[in-house]
Amino acid sequence: MDRTFYAHLASHSLDGQELDQAACGRILSDSSLELLPLLDAAYQVRRHYFGQEVRVHILNNAQNGHCPEDCHYCAQAKSSKADIEEYGMKSDDEMLKEARTAYGKGASCYCMVFAGRGASQARIDRLKRVLAQIKSEFPGKEICVSTGFVTNEGAVELKRAGLDRLNHNLNTSEAHYPNICTTHTFADRLATLLAAKNAGLKVCSGMIVGMGEGHADIIDVARRLRHLKAESIPVNILVPIEGNVLSADSAGRLTPDFILRVLCMFRFLNPTAEIRIAAGRELHLRSMEVMALYPANSLFLQGYLNAKGTTNARTLQMIKDAGFSIKSEIDLNELLEQQQVPHQDLARDGKAVLKTLTELRPAI
């Protein structure tokens, strides 16, 4: 087997060169490219910048539902009929307690996600107070917030209050965006990311694979994030939630092989970024899930916004079994000893299983 092309991918990425459209397209579509050498090439880049370390993130769904946007993939959207547990913004104390729990379970970054179109001044003021409380107790830990559109002034205020990262996913390409949302534009999302960059915040932004996009759309997002110098890139795969506009059929015939190719391409184009294999990894990668850790160096623990993930024990054991470590002051073996391993269904009849109110609000 001629390994020239695989070596070319790794060397160009490590040299900081951007792969051209043809090379990116070949990664996604050329069946003559073998998966294991491709993963190995991506792993050379991942190992150079991140070694064997996996960064664990835990999401806090700090406000659920009541969103005026119609993002077709989202269970909180006004266009969704999903049977979710809706509630207003959690109390300061509840968010602080969940931060303690997240860091205690090995998370290197605590992520608070708020539904709604954007961050009003009242929400900014509230967030500043919560950020100050968390930072006073955990000064060396990272905090990421996702709160819709943020102005230049709002981003500066959050940065001064101690925020490390602002999450705002591009989700898909500019060309495909009108097919997944009509209440705002791709340009609106881009403006929030630029506001975060200008304020000195780290940018967390990624995409959702499986929303009817083409290969060119996936390549476009990966390149956009490279040009934005996004520090953190979550790669989600559409989670089919009953009641959403986008269903299981929307994802088409996504295979573990294709998803792993997508992750490799993101790694080659964004060599220094934290690439996170995010929502949908368990459902779509199935028995190949562990292979995602070779191009990606990050994942979520405890599921996603409204959909369940696999158990903490299973995820941590997968990391350990593959010979990786985690970025945490707590030893991986110690974390595993703390875990209980109840049976947990992720999907029934091909549809995601939603979290209960107890799982969404463990601090009350």
Side-chain angles (χ1 to χ4, degrees):
M1 177 182 61
D2 182 5
R3 293 183 176 268
T4 304
F5 182 67
Y6 306 107
H8 162 86
L9 294 172
S11 63
H12 268 54
S13 184
L14 288 169
D15 289 342
Q17 300 180 50
E18 182 175 356
L19 298 182
D20 60 25
Q21 188 80 9
C24 293
R26 190 177 176 196
I27 291 169
L28 296 182
S29 62
D30 187 349
S31 60
S32 72
L33 288 182
E34 296 183 45
L35 181 60
L36 286 180
L38 189 64
L39 285 167
D40 180 63
Y43 175 64
Q44 303 311 313
V45 182
R46 180 243 204 265
R47 185 176 62 181
H48 179 80
Y49 290 104
F50 300 101
Q52 296 292 102
E53 193 173 74
V54 176
R55 299 185 180 186
V56 174
H57 293 240
I58 292 180
L59 285 171
N60 172 10
N61 197 350
Q63 177 187 351
N64 202 25
H66 308 291
C67 185
E69 305 300 294
D70 73 347
C71 306
H72 300 343
Y73 52 82
C74 183
Q76 302 183 59
K78 69 175 185 179
S79 54
S80 176
K81 296 180 175 60
D83 185 21
I84 63 172
E85 298 280 1
E86 294 187 305
Y87 50 83
M89 193 182 301
K90 294 177 179 178
S91 69
D92 294 11
D93 185 59
E94 191 175 350
M95 287 187 272
L96 179 58
K97 285 180 179 177
E98 291 192 24
R100 290 180 187 133
T101 301
Y103 295 135
K105 290 184 177 177
S108 62
C109 187
Y110 173 58
C111 313
M112 293 184 286
V113 184
F114 300 84
R117 181 174 177 83
S120 64
Q121 188 58 50
R123 180 178 290 184
I124 293 287
D125 292 339
R126 177 81 179 282
L127 278 171
K128 286 161 60 178
R129 187 171 70 236
V130 174
L131 288 167
Q133 291 174 326
I134 296 173
K135 279 295 183 180
S136 67
E137 190 167 337
F138 303 98
K141 297 292 188 179
E142 279 200 322
I143 305 173
C144 180
V145 163
S146 178
T147 184
F149 303 125
V150 176
T151 63
N152 290 313
E153 296 77 13
V156 169
E157 288 191 66
L158 291 173
K159 170 66 176 177
R160 289 174 177 167
L163 184 65
D164 299 290
R165 295 183 183 185
L166 186 77
N167 167 260
H168 201 63
N169 292 330
L170 289 178
N171 289 321
T172 194
S173 70
E174 185 170 14
H176 189 57
Y177 206 84
N179 298 316
I180 66 163
C181 183
T182 65
T183 50
H184 62 263
T185 66
F186 183 91
D188 292 329
R189 288 191 169 265
L190 195 57
T192 287
L193 294 177
L194 292 174
K197 293 293 287 187
N198 292 336
L201 289 165
K202 293 179 182 178
V203 163
C204 175
S205 183
M207 79 170 301
I208 305 173
V209 179
M211 299 194 294
E213 72 284 337
H215 291 180
D217 298 303
I218 300 173
I219 296 168
D220 180 72
V221 175
R223 281 189 152 162
R224 288 266 191 174
L225 295 171
R226 175 189 176 90
H227 298 158
L228 279 166
K229 296 182 172 61
E231 289 87 354
S232 178
I233 301 176
V235 178
N236 303 276
I237 310 107
L238 182 68
V239 176
I241 293 177
E242 187 173 10
N244 284 0
V245 175
L246 291 176
S247 65
D249 294 336
S250 306
R253 296 184 177 180
L254 289 178
T255 64
D257 175 88
F258 180 72
I259 294 163
L260 291 170
R261 287 170 179 265
V262 170
L263 290 170
C264 288
M265 189 198 68
F266 266 86
R267 172 55 69 202
F268 293 130
L269 281 174
N270 299 275
T272 64
E274 178 182 341
I275 305 292
R276 184 155 50 264
I277 177 60
R281 63 178 165 88
E282 303 97 333
L283 290 173
H284 293 282
L285 284 171
R286 301 188 293 277
S287 61
M288 298 289 282
E289 183 184 348
V290 70
M291 304 306 291
L293 294 178
Y294 290 88
N297 67 299
S298 174
L299 49 68
F300 281 118
L301 203 64
Q302 295 190 189
Y304 312 104
L305 288 183
N306 278 283
K308 292 185 180 183
T310 193
T311 60
N312 293 355
R314 182 183 176 278
T315 299
L316 294 172
Q317 191 68 56
M318 176 183 72
I319 293 170
K320 180 182 177 181
D321 288 348
F324 292 95
S325 61
I326 63 170
K327 181 180 174 63
S328 175
E329 296 169 357
I330 307 173
D331 183 73
L332 179 54
N333 290 318
E334 182 181 341
L335 287 170
L336 277 166
E337 289 174 2
Q338 298 172 5
Q339 301 301 318
Q340 297 178 348
V341 194
H343 176 75
Q344 184 171 342
D345 287 330
L346 295 180
R348 299 190 187 102
D349 301 323
K351 297 168 185 172
V353 176
L354 298 181
K355 290 181 177 179
T356 64
L357 187 59
T358 300
E359 290 168 317
L360 284 162
R361 307 191 72 175
I364 59 172

